[in-house]
Amino acid sequence: MRFRPRLLDTLPGYDRAQFAGDAGAGITVGVLALPLAMAFAIASGMSPTAGIWTAIVAGFLISLLGGSRVQIGGPTGAFIPIIYAIVVDYGVANLLIASMLAGLMLIAMGAFRLGSMIRFIPISVVIGFTNGIAVVIFLSQIKDFLGLQIGQLPGEFFGKISTLAGALGTAHLPTVLLAVASLTLLIGWNRLARRIRWMRRLPGPLGVLVIGTAVTALFGLPVDTIGSRFGGIPQAVPALAFPDLDLSNLGKLIAPALTIAMLGAIESLLSARVADGQIDDRHDPNQELLAQGVANVIAPLFGGFAATGAIARTATNIRSGGRTPVAGMIHALVLLAVVLALAPLAHHIPLATLSAIVVMVSVHMGEWHAFKTLGRYSVAYRTVLLSTFFITVVFDLTLAVELGLVMASLFFIHRVSDLTRIEPVAQDHAGADPRIQVFRLFGSLFFGAANKLESLLVAADTRPAVIVLSLDKVINIDTTGLEILQNLHRTLAKQGASLVLCELNAQPASLIARSGFAAQLGEANIVGSLEAALARASACAAKTGELSPSPLAGASPVP
């Protein structure tokens, strides 16, 4: 286990100019993170205080211990449907336990150096569940966006749709108007900022939050606010406390915790990989997983919940000049200072404006262009992407990823199996012995392509003297492929015939030697070239009687 945060690599040579860049970026990202942390927490069924302290504690630890120079951690929109479902099904205390279990899983993944394995998840699965999560987030915001009179939305899709449809008649006009105005201002913020100088100094979400709060307070709008629903935000550091542990529910939390861990690992490493391309760097994925794990274990002790790397905030950090983990640590300290100094002002923040911010996040996080270009890709790609998307929206993210991976694997196996083939090789030299049959194998001889050699398992009335297999085009053999070769050897041996292998690549040669098959076959029957194999086959054929026709004898030879 290697534990070396990137912070240690960036401190040598760290100077005042770099600190100025990191400080400016940290302040910018800290200001941006404030409305997002509150909005994501409320959308997840948690208090805004929980979201802020998740951003503070987890954000600081991820930067302090992480494997990326510029990663910004905290609560993210991708976690909303998962966290909300856990809160509805098991309660807040069990969510905190699930977050801590996920943290332990992430630590184990980093310790066993599984960071690079996350990259093996097909892009079709990633796009499918990302777009599915975006739809689920959007649906979760309809209640606060329209001011519907609903207690708590069900976590299950069909129950949620039914509840929302039944409550549409309770839409609250002032809430709808404020939410629409907030969303419209968010959409046009960057365009307006080109004309209005002061708007350039504020991130869109924070600017809209300030304006929406000011309008609500000045005009006394009759809309739900953080104060009316949550009683405001405490102006103090929460007491360190271990969440109540109910051992009877611990087993039920394993699956949700695994979902949090997998999604956290995927999102954080995707964010770090995107950041690498922007700053020409290379992150340590295993160190990043260790940091994510520690953050998810510690944050719940302060009332926080699941956290991961945030792509949008990381990109903002880079654009603002952040180049070391110091920027991320400053971003967490800025949030801490805001809470301790300005918490009472949060009393008038309208939930409709926060809902508009989350709606905007859900629209931006989806890769909707992938649906437009589906026709360019294979049936396998389309099937995996659409299935993962549908199952994420209707059922569950964990199930969606599992089925997506299974389908992608099956399609891959089928494709590689199709690419594996065996063809006869013509013997053009004078005096070629018809009792010697030569074949060249192409591709990968694995369990999905085991049937490719079955045609060479010679029937009882077939009597070749020697079969030569050229394996120079075989890149891999697994144990199933090895068993097929062993069966071919045994069948030929019973008929008094021989098997000769030639031109083996490194992996097949290694497996054949380690398994003991080389000794069974005879070292003399494994040679380096086709010419040597033919010479060996001629020596073996000289000891063998006449030959009966082979089932492949009529196949068209290839040179």
Side-chain angles (χ1 to χ4, degrees), residues 242-542:
F242 194 90
D244 294 333
L245 176 61
D246 184 356
L247 293 177
S248 64
N249 284 327
L250 190 59
K252 300 176 183 177
L253 297 177
I254 298 298
L258 181 60
T259 303
I260 293 174
M262 289 300 299
L263 183 58
I266 293 169
E267 187 166 8
S268 65
L269 296 184
L270 283 176
S271 174
R273 188 166 62 180
V274 171
D276 285 349
Q278 295 177 335
I279 64 172
D280 194 22
D281 191 40
R282 185 175 178 84
H283 71 283
D284 182 345
N286 299 305
Q287 183 64 43
E288 187 64 25
L289 291 181
L290 288 170
Q292 300 288 339
V294 172
N296 279 280
V297 170
I298 302 300
L301 301 179
F302 291 86
F305 52 93
T308 186
I311 295 177
R313 274 161 278 173
T314 298
T316 301
N317 179 39
I318 295 171
R319 288 196 301 268
S320 302
R323 289 299 180 271
T324 78
V326 173
M329 297 161 67
I330 292 175
H331 126 271
L333 296 176
V334 168
L335 284 171
L336 177 62
V338 169
V339 170
L340 297 180
L342 304 176
L345 298 180
H347 187 87
H348 296 289
I349 293 177
L351 300 185
T353 298
L354 290 176
S355 178
I357 292 173
V358 177
V359 167
M360 194 71 174
V361 169
S362 72
V363 172
H364 283 164
M365 77 179 291
E367 298 188 42
W368 311 114
H369 62 87
F371 290 140
K372 298 179 181 179
T373 59
L374 278 178
R376 304 176 186 174
Y377 300 102
S378 65
V379 173
Y381 177 89
R382 296 197 296 267
T383 302
V384 172
L385 191 153
L386 293 175
S387 298
T388 305
F389 170 76
F390 176 79
I391 296 171
T392 299
V393 173
V394 177
F395 297 106
D396 176 69
L397 173 63
T398 306
L399 180 62
V401 173
E402 290 172 350
L403 290 181
L405 288 174
V406 169
M407 287 190 294
S409 299
L410 291 176
F411 281 124
F412 175 76
I413 291 170
H414 181 265
R415 177 59 176 160
V416 174
S417 175
D418 279 348
L419 295 175
T420 301
R421 67 186 192 277
I422 185 168
E423 297 177 352
V425 177
Q427 300 181 59
D428 296 329
H429 60 281
D433 192 336
R435 296 175 301 167
I436 298 174
Q437 299 176 7
V438 185
F439 301 94
R440 176 168 282 118
L441 196 60
F442 297 80
S444 176
L445 187 57
F446 71 117
F447 65 90
N451 63 320
K452 301 294 182 175
L453 274 181
E454 288 180 354
S455 56
L456 292 184
L457 292 177
V458 187
D461 58 347
T462 305
R463 296 291 183 270
V466 185
I467 286 183
V468 176
L469 287 183
S470 173
L471 303 180
D472 65 317
K473 304 299 183 183
V474 175
I475 58 174
N476 171 75
I477 294 178
D478 71 354
T479 52
T480 303
L482 176 65
E483 183 182 16
I484 296 294
L485 288 176
Q486 292 172 328
N487 289 341
L488 177 61
H489 168 60
R490 284 192 292 267
T491 301
L492 290 173
K494 290 177 182 179
Q495 300 171 359
S498 302
L499 174 65
V500 176
L501 305 179
C502 66
E503 301 177 308
L504 275 68
N505 289 312
Q507 190 277 336
S510 174
L511 178 60
I512 287 173
R514 287 183 286 110
S515 66
F517 180 50
Q520 298 172 16
L521 187 61
E523 296 292 345
N525 289 336
I526 302 178
V527 296
S529 66
L530 183 58
E531 291 76 11
L534 291 174
R536 174 60 184 170
S538 296
C540 294

Side-chain angles (χ1 to χ4, degrees), residues 206-264:
L206 180 65
V208 172
L209 184 70
V210 170
I211 294 172
T213 302
V215 170
T216 301
L218 290 175
F219 295 97
L221 297 182
V223 297
D224 284 341
T225 65
I226 286 180
S228 65
R229 183 176 296 184
F230 301 101
I233 296 176
Q235 196 173 9
V237 178
L240 195 66
F242 194 90
D244 294 333
L245 176 61
D246 184 356
L247 293 177
S248 64
N249 284 327
L250 190 59
K252 300 176 183 177
L253 297 177
I254 298 298
L258 181 60
T259 303
I260 293 174
M262 289 300 299
L263 183 58

Side-chain angles (χ1 to χ4, degrees), residues 157-243:
F157 173 78
F158 296 105
K160 183 182 298 182
I161 294 297
S162 176
T163 301
L164 289 172
L168 285 177
T170 66
H172 187 236
L173 183 59
T175 299
V176 174
L177 293 176
L178 179 59
V180 171
S182 299
L183 183 59
T184 303
L185 185 55
L186 266 175
I187 294 172
W189 185 270
N190 290 335
R191 184 175 299 176
L192 290 172
R194 299 186 190 125
R195 303 178 181 178
I196 304 174
R197 182 172 299 177
W198 67 267
M199 293 181 69
R200 302 173 193 170
R201 302 175 183 175
L202 289 177
L206 180 65
V208 172
L209 184 70
V210 170
I211 294 172
T213 302
V215 170
T216 301
L218 290 175
F219 295 97
L221 297 182
V223 297
D224 284 341
T225 65
I226 286 180
S228 65
R229 183 176 296 184
F230 301 101
I233 296 176
Q235 196 173 9
V237 178
L240 195 66
F242 194 90

